[in-house]
Amino acid sequence: MVRLLLSIKAELENVTSLEPPSDFDFFFKVTCNSCHEPHPKIVSLNRQEKFDVSGSKGATANFVWRCGYCKRESSAKFEDAYGVKPYVAENGQFGPLLQIECRGLEFTGFDPRGIWKCEGMTGAVFPEVNLEDGEWTDYDEKAALPVGVSSFESRWSRA
């Protein structure tokens, strides 16, 4: 078992925090720890979904996968105690987003596609932040300032 920490960084323009909503689908690249073959597609995980783990006594995981090459079953589970942290780090710095417990697999990439939310300098909430292209821009009417997220990056590390 290994615990992986996903950290992100982005340039935030007149934005104080960036985070995915609670029902967010996370998209990851995954590799089998047994045969070291990467999954041919990006996989999705949702914190709300639970699947039974084969051969266990009632254990569940957010992702259960059988490698197409070696046929070994692996699983991953979000660390509920850790939660999902909003990104509030200074521009250009990595900040922790989430932690996942992995058994038999490792995540090697993260695709930020999907609808995120962020908060402007005046507290205005922007619930429709689409980072599929790696950036997003809008206008904060209260502050009379442009807002945006750009230069999105992510990295995995052992927790």
Side-chain angles (χ1 to χ4, degrees):
M1 174 192 65
V2 66
R3 283 189 171 83
L4 297 177
L5 176 68
L6 176 62
S7 299
I8 62 172
K9 78 174 181 176
E11 295 293 325
L12 304 179
E13 180 182 3
N14 300 314
V15 171
T16 60
S17 70
L18 173 68
E19 66 183 301
S22 61
D23 62 343
F24 190 75
D25 286 328
F26 292 91
F27 292 90
F28 302 129
K29 291 181 184 176
V30 64
T31 299
C32 177
N33 279 353
S34 182
C35 67
H36 304 289
E37 286 293 326
H39 190 291
K41 297 179 182 177
I42 291 178
V43 300
S44 75
L45 279 76
N46 188 303
R47 294 177 59 83
Q48 313 301 323
E49 295 177 348
K50 304 275 189 205
F51 302 97
D52 292 331
V53 177
S54 299
S56 70
K57 296 179 180 172
T60 61
N62 300 104
F63 178 68
V64 177
W65 169 56
R66 184 170 303 279
C67 177
Y69 297 98
C70 70
K71 308 300 182 210
R72 180 176 175 198
E73 184 176 281
S74 304
S75 63
K77 182 178 177 179
F78 287 96
E79 291 284 333
D80 290 331
Y82 189 84
V84 175
K85 310 281 188 219
Y87 177 71
V88 294
E90 294 295 320
N91 286 338
Q93 301 293 318
F94 276 97
L97 180 66
L98 58 86
Q99 189 170 300
I100 297 181
E101 177 186 297
C102 300
R103 293 180 184 270
L105 62 85
E106 282 196 40
F107 294 110
T108 57
F110 171 59
D111 185 341
R113 72 175 100 166
I115 304 299
W116 295 60
K117 62 182 178 179
C118 69
E119 189 172 314
M121 303 293 265
T122 61
V125 176
F126 297 89
E128 298 286 323
V129 177
N130 187 340
L131 293 176
E132 192 163 327
D133 296 327
E135 62 182 48
W136 165 83
T137 58
D138 205 334
Y139 190 76
D140 187 340
E141 298 288 338
K142 286 183 182 177
L145 292 170
V147 291
V149 177
S150 61
S151 303
F152 188 94
E153 293 181 43
S154 64
R155 72 175 178 202
W156 288 99
S157 60
R158 299 208 183 254

